[in-house]
Amino acid sequence: MLAPSQHFDFGVPYGWGLSAEQSSLDSFLPPYTTQMNASRTSGVVDSVAGKTINRVLDELEPELCQLSMDIHDHPEIAFQERYARDTLTAFMRRHKFNVTSEYLGLETAWRAEYSYGNGGKVIGINSEMDALERIGHACGHNLIAASGCGIAVALKAALETHDIPGRIILLGTPAEECGGGKIILLQRGAYDDMDFCLMSHPGPGPLYSFDIGATTAVQTFEVEYLGKGAHAGAAPWEGINALDAAFLAYSSLSVLRQQMQPTHRSHGIVQGRDWISNVIPDNARLRWQVRAPTYDEMSILAQRVRKCFEAAALATGCSVNIDEEPPYQDLKNNPILGEIFGQIVQTQYGQNVSTNGSAASTDFGNVSYHLPALHPVYTIPTEPHGGNHTPAFTKASATKEAHAANMIATRGLALTALCVLQDDALFQEVRNSNF
């Protein structure tokens, strides 16, 4: 078995969200089996090219850890990731990639590309960069950023050293948390050249675990109610209360939950500007999201939610403006890429692999509808109830345990790409199996 990290023993005790009764991975996770002939992956992993990837990642590991920590210590929200862009593109330039900043008109997007030989396949990789407002890298995008760089550099070394033709495209993708950076890049053609695309994501859960299941589709609404201000004590009847409209909508949405499927989600916040208690509010806003396991289900739920917004305006006499952000589609991991990756991390790194999926959402889902894609989620230690989007996960994403898990994901994805690069029949299976 290959060591997941040369600088850290991954023997971390349980105690981050699992009870003693749940500590048996065999009972906690559903079985995951592959139908693929093991020799198809083991032959590549044990080949000289596979050993090159592992050697290069051994050498790169301190740099990748520092890169992750540097991004972690400079959190930037959606479309503001300038420090991350500059830090990551400088790293890729040092490793002799052709780098384009402000890619396709997005200030903080970037592309790093390397080609070797004639022909070959085109490997796509993503590095996410954005943090969450106030709580920083509570989704671990610092780890994702470093992993993307590591995969790209390791594959470059394999192509050069072993005369394997191919092209590597690493995209620095802004605004995953909100704004749909990958959707914008997808619409502008950033993924058109790729034969397949890879990335990973950290999360909470049992140690030594990966999940290659689906994520949910999500629709985000920005709703603004406009009314008329008035003195709340002297002449409230002269006003039109926009806050009442927002809370009528909120109440309707809460009532709607009783008729929602258990796998559907509806959640959001109410905001306003210049509110004071003795003035009838003339404005109110909701930022609202609805999720469901599939895009089609989510679209139906979104129509019902929109009617709640419209009804509140009608009841209060307010005007309403409803903006819908580009929807995030559900993630469809390519089954053959998933089998290759699952077999590698199981047999080489002793990891458990499940297909539970997640109720979270990602703009990488839209990418997975466009071309074969893989987005495994790996676990890092965090405190109980300290999963993604909590301050506890911000701390967890800066630990050496998280870095060690990230290195396993990085190795697994780089070796998965190598398997596809070197096996034309396997690549055809990947293409044929896409949704």
Side-chain angles (χ1 to χ4, degrees):
M1 181 181 297
L2 298 172
S5 167
Q6 63 172 342
H7 299 292
F8 181 70
D9 177 3
F10 201 59
V12 187
Y14 286 100
W16 42 289
L18 283 178
S19 67
E21 291 77 14
Q22 292 174 314
S23 62
S24 170
L25 287 173
D26 289 340
S27 62
F28 187 78
L29 291 172
Y32 175 83
T33 59
T34 69
Q35 305 299 317
M36 188 173 294
N37 185 337
S39 64
R40 296 184 74 175
T41 56
S42 61
V44 172
V45 172
D46 296 334
S47 69
V48 288
K51 290 176 181 177
T52 294
I53 282 177
N54 279 296
R55 174 185 57 78
V56 170
L57 287 174
D58 280 345
E59 295 168 356
L60 276 180
E61 186 171 344
E63 280 188 82
L64 295 175
C65 182
Q66 183 56 49
L67 195 62
S68 171
M69 290 303 301
D70 204 6
I71 303 301
H72 184 277
D73 293 344
H74 297 84
E76 299 163 305
I77 61 172
F79 299 117
Q80 304 297 315
E81 310 95 333
R82 298 179 186 88
Y83 183 89
R85 174 203 61 198
D86 294 345
T87 302
L88 295 165
T89 54
F91 178 89
M92 297 309 295
R93 286 191 179 99
R94 288 198 302 273
H95 289 278
K96 310 303 181 185
F97 276 71
N98 295 320
V99 176
T100 304
S101 289
E102 301 184 25
Y103 184 53
L104 294 178
L106 287 181
E107 182 188 355
T108 55
W110 52 273
R111 171 177 170 134
E113 183 173 344
Y114 173 79
S115 295
Y116 181 83
N118 296 315
K121 302 166 189 71
V122 183
I123 310 131
I125 310 161
N126 285 174
S127 281
E128 292 180 354
M129 303 174 286
D130 58 320
L132 289 151
E133 194 165 2
R134 296 189 304 278
I135 55 175
H137 276 289
C139 213
H141 292 187
N142 57 299
L143 296 165
I144 301 170
S147 177
C149 293
I151 296 165
V153 174
L155 285 170
K156 173 178 178 286
L159 299 186
E160 291 176 334
T161 305
H162 304 290
D163 197 27
I164 302 170
R167 183 152 60 115
I168 303 162
I169 299 173
L170 171 62
L171 295 181
T173 59
E176 188 275 338
E177 295 295 349
C178 63
K182 295 184 196 66
I183 299 172
I184 298 170
L185 290 170
L186 182 65
Q187 292 170 341
R188 296 180 184 180
Y191 293 87
D192 288 354
D193 292 343
M194 299 178 187
D195 288 317
F196 59 98
C197 191
L198 309 171
M199 64 171 292
S200 61
H201 202 296
L207 290 179
Y208 311 112
S209 299
F210 282 84
D211 190 273
I212 52 175
T215 64
T216 61
V218 64
Q219 176 67 68
T220 300
F221 293 93
E222 285 282 355
V223 183
E224 184 178 34
Y225 293 104
L226 296 176
K228 180 182 178 184
H231 195 295
W237 52 85
E238 294 179 359
I240 300 174
N241 197 318
L243 184 57
D244 281 352
F247 274 98
L248 273 177
Y250 192 98
S251 297
S252 298
L253 293 161
S254 297
V255 171
L256 178 62
R257 287 193 180 101
Q258 187 180 34
Q259 274 68 52
M260 283 169 43
Q261 294 285 343
T263 53
H264 295 182
R265 298 289 184 270
S266 173
H267 52 87
I269 56 174
V270 176
Q271 300 171 302
R273 62 181 184 277
D274 302 327
W275 286 346
I276 55 176
S277 61
N278 61 351
V279 175
I280 299 295
D282 64 358
N283 72 91
R285 300 194 321 277
L286 289 91
R287 181 171 176 83
W288 206 262
Q289 294 180 308
V290 294
R291 304 178 195 255
T294 68
Y295 176 76
D296 289 343
E297 289 179 74
M298 183 276 293
S299 297
I300 293 170
L301 179 59
Q303 292 172 16
R304 299 179 71 185
V305 165
R306 188 182 182 96
K307 291 177 181 178
C308 293
F309 300 141
E310 294 168 346
L314 181 65
T316 57
C318 290
S319 62
V320 62
N321 182 56
I322 305 172
D323 287 332
E324 298 183 15
E325 295 184 2
Y328 288 17
Q329 293 175 302
D330 47 304
L331 172 67
K332 293 183 178 292
N333 281 314
N334 180 273
I336 301 299
L337 291 175
E339 283 200 51
I340 299 167
F341 178 83
Q343 194 170 94
I344 288 170
V345 296
Q346 281 181 322
T347 60
Q348 300 297 317
Y349 306 115
Q351 301 294 294
N352 290 273
V353 181
S354 64
T355 54
N356 292 326
S358 170
S361 308
T362 172
D363 56 357
F364 194 73
N366 298 57
V367 176
S368 75
Y369 272 70
H370 185 72
L371 76 165
L374 184 65
H375 181 288
V377 175
Y378 60 93
T379 58
I380 65 173
T382 185
E383 63 187 55
H385 311 297
N388 300 64
H389 295 200
T390 68
F393 204 82
T394 305
K395 295 178 183 177
S397 65
T399 61
K400 39 183 197 172
E401 293 92 337
H403 174 70
N406 191 40
M407 288 303 298
I408 296 175
T410 301
R411 293 172 190 273
L413 288 174
L415 291 167
T416 297
L418 183 64
C419 286
V420 179
L421 274 173
Q422 294 192 294
D423 189 332
D424 291 340
L426 186 58
F427 172 59
Q428 195 60 47
E429 288 183 44
V430 169
R431 294 184 65 180
N432 292 343
S433 68
N434 210 45
F435 301 93

